[in-house]
Amino acid sequence: MKAARIGDYNATPVIEDVPTPDIGPGEVLVRVKASSLNPLDVKMQRGFMHAYFPVIFPYTLGTDLAGTIEHTGSNVTRWREGDEVVARLDPTSGGALAEFAVVKTEYLVRAPKTVSLEEAAGISTAAGTAWQALFEVADLKRGQSVLVHAGAGGVGSFAIQFARSVGARVIATASGAGIEIARRLGADQVIDYRSENFAVKVTDVDVVIDTIGGDTQQRSFNVLRSGGYLLATSAPPDEALAKAHNVAATFVFHASDGSRLEKIVEAIDTSVLKVLVDRKMSLLNFTNAFEHQASGRARGKIIVTPD
Ligand SMILES: NC(=O)c1ccc[n+]([C@@H]2O[C@H](COP(=O)([O-])OP(=O)(O)OC[C@H]3O[C@@H](n4cnc5c(N)ncnc54)[C@H](OP(=O)(O)O)[C@@H]3O)[C@@H](O)[C@H]2O)c1
């Protein structure tokens, strides 16, 4: 099978022909319909995540996939060959950017009915992070307000839709074509972060999802109400600033969780939420897909298909 692999940190990913992996008890082999890229894949390739997710080389990149079960291992009772599934693999093992992937059953969920299997590959990490932040850490409720940075990014595009689906008011930051995209996803107000300072246009929000860090994070403390919540996914929040503004601030570290993913798929089907797709590319054109992810300019998910 073909797989996108690196032989060392900072090595250029190459598409190699490798043996189709074997499965063990409690695992299934998934024929990958599509995978999606995340900033995490770039950080893994650069070795930035070594302390959290140490890998063995050669390493097959990718955590997010959707596909069809090809074989089931022993002790697998809930799943059958042909089932359409979505999964988020453990980053240490990787393996999603390939024609076949081994998946532990605890990371498997049925694919949503309202989005195509290809687009469903874009769900796992981005939606999982947005969900974990909004509902498990901040406990966002109807009537509250949330500022979502990078509303046209992977995490932001799901955060806008999840927050709206529970009746929260959403303000998003974006630029260029991303402004209209964020509006169409349901943001009540979109601020062009390149030409306007969001920190003077927004006040007293309950929650900020900070996917950017740095100066964006520092200014985000000013827009929160006393007792509000800053949820950072890119850089750990400054505790002294949080204290000075009388807000809670947490770094959200996303972890693969099949039961969360199940709730997400249900929410996508029930509320007819979208997977925002930046582009679809073939695994054979992986270098371009990877470079685009690394640029930080993707507007939604980059979907990679093995054919
Ligand atoms: N801690 C965790 O477990 C975890 C999990 C998931 C993601 N993350 C991190 O969260 C961050 C976002 O992830 P992602 O998947 O959403 O990334 P992404 O999809 O690559 O985000 C790209 C988007 O960011 C926007 N952007 C860039 N600079 C901006 C700024 N200053 N203000 C507002 N928007 C800006 C871009 O818009 P323009 O085109 O307008 O520039 C683009 O649409 C990454 O750093 C990622 O590593 C962490």
Side-chain angles (χ1 to χ4, degrees):
M1 68 168 192
K2 299 214 179 307
R5 303 217 291 184
I6 48 171
D8 201 350
Y9 288 133
N10 286 313
T12 304
V14 282
I15 303 303
E16 292 179 353
D17 283 307
V18 298
T20 303
D22 295 324
I23 49 171
E27 295 177 337
V28 304
L29 185 70
V30 174
R31 180 184 285 274
V32 177
K33 178 75 174 174
S35 323
S36 76
L37 285 170
N38 288 286
L40 176 64
D41 300 308
V42 178
K43 292 177 185 177
M44 294 292 292
Q45 182 261 355
R46 291 180 181 168
F48 297 166
M49 303 307 288
H50 183 79
Y52 310 98
F53 305 123
V55 305
I56 295 169
F57 297 109
Y59 172 74
T60 300
L61 290 158
T63 55
D64 293 11
L65 63 81
T68 318
I69 294 182
E70 186 82 358
H71 294 304
T72 56
S74 58
N75 302 339
V76 175
T77 50
R78 190 181 153 199
W79 301 98
R80 286 170 211 276
E81 288 169 18
D83 283 351
E84 293 191 336
V85 292
V86 170
R88 205 268 182 171
L89 309 181
D90 179 345
T92 300
S93 339
L97 284 149
E99 286 180 279
F100 292 93
V102 177
V103 186
K104 290 183 172 44
T105 50
E106 66 255 38
Y107 296 151
L108 272 185
V109 302
R110 69 163 180 87
K113 298 183 182 74
T114 53
V115 299
S116 72
L117 195 54
E118 246 178 40
E119 296 192 349
I123 294 172
S124 309
T125 297
T129 307
W131 187 281
Q132 188 177 333
L134 289 175
F135 303 132
E136 295 174 17
V137 182
D139 194 21
L140 186 76
K141 296 264 189 312
R142 164 175 294 277
Q144 290 191 312
S145 54
V146 54
L147 170 63
V148 176
H149 284 302
V155 175
S157 58
F158 282 109
I160 291 174
Q161 296 182 85
F162 290 155
R164 284 281 297 165
S165 72
V166 297
R169 174 176 156 71
V170 181
I171 305 136
T173 61
S175 82
I179 294 172
E180 186 51 31
I181 290 172
R183 246 183 229 129
R184 271 192 272 119
L185 290 169
D188 299 283
Q189 181 184 353
V190 186
I191 298 169
D192 181 345
Y193 70 89
R194 291 187 195 270
S195 62
E196 296 172 291
N197 180 1
F198 66 85
V200 298
K201 299 200 81 178
V202 183
T203 50
D204 286 332
V205 294
D206 296 287
V207 175
V208 175
I209 295 212
D210 165 36
T211 51
I212 307 296
D215 167 63
T216 298
Q217 184 184 97
Q218 297 226 329
R219 285 183 288 134
S220 291
F221 283 105
N222 297 317
V223 312
L224 282 160
R225 67 164 170 82
S226 175
Y229 221 136
L230 184 133
L231 307 160
T233 68
S234 180
D238 184 325
E239 306 222 338
L241 263 183
K243 205 166 174 194
H245 285 86
N246 193 31
V247 299
T250 305
F251 185 72
V252 177
F253 195 82
H254 173 253
S256 300
D257 180 340
S259 62
R260 177 190 306 125
L261 202 46
E262 230 161 77
K263 289 181 201 158
I264 289 170
V265 166
E266 199 183 321
I268 286 174
D269 276 344
T270 308
S271 303
V272 198
L273 307 183
K274 289 186 174 54
V275 177
L276 176 65
V277 175
D278 174 278
R279 63 193 64 188
K280 294 183 189 179
M281 296 183 83
S282 160
L283 188 62
L284 298 175
N285 200 4
F286 185 69
T287 310
N288 289 341
F290 194 74
E291 276 172 11
H292 186 49
Q293 181 61 66
S295 76
R297 300 270 84 97
R299 299 214 165 106
K301 303 303 299 173
I302 302 168
I303 304 289
V304 179
T305 54
D307 42 40

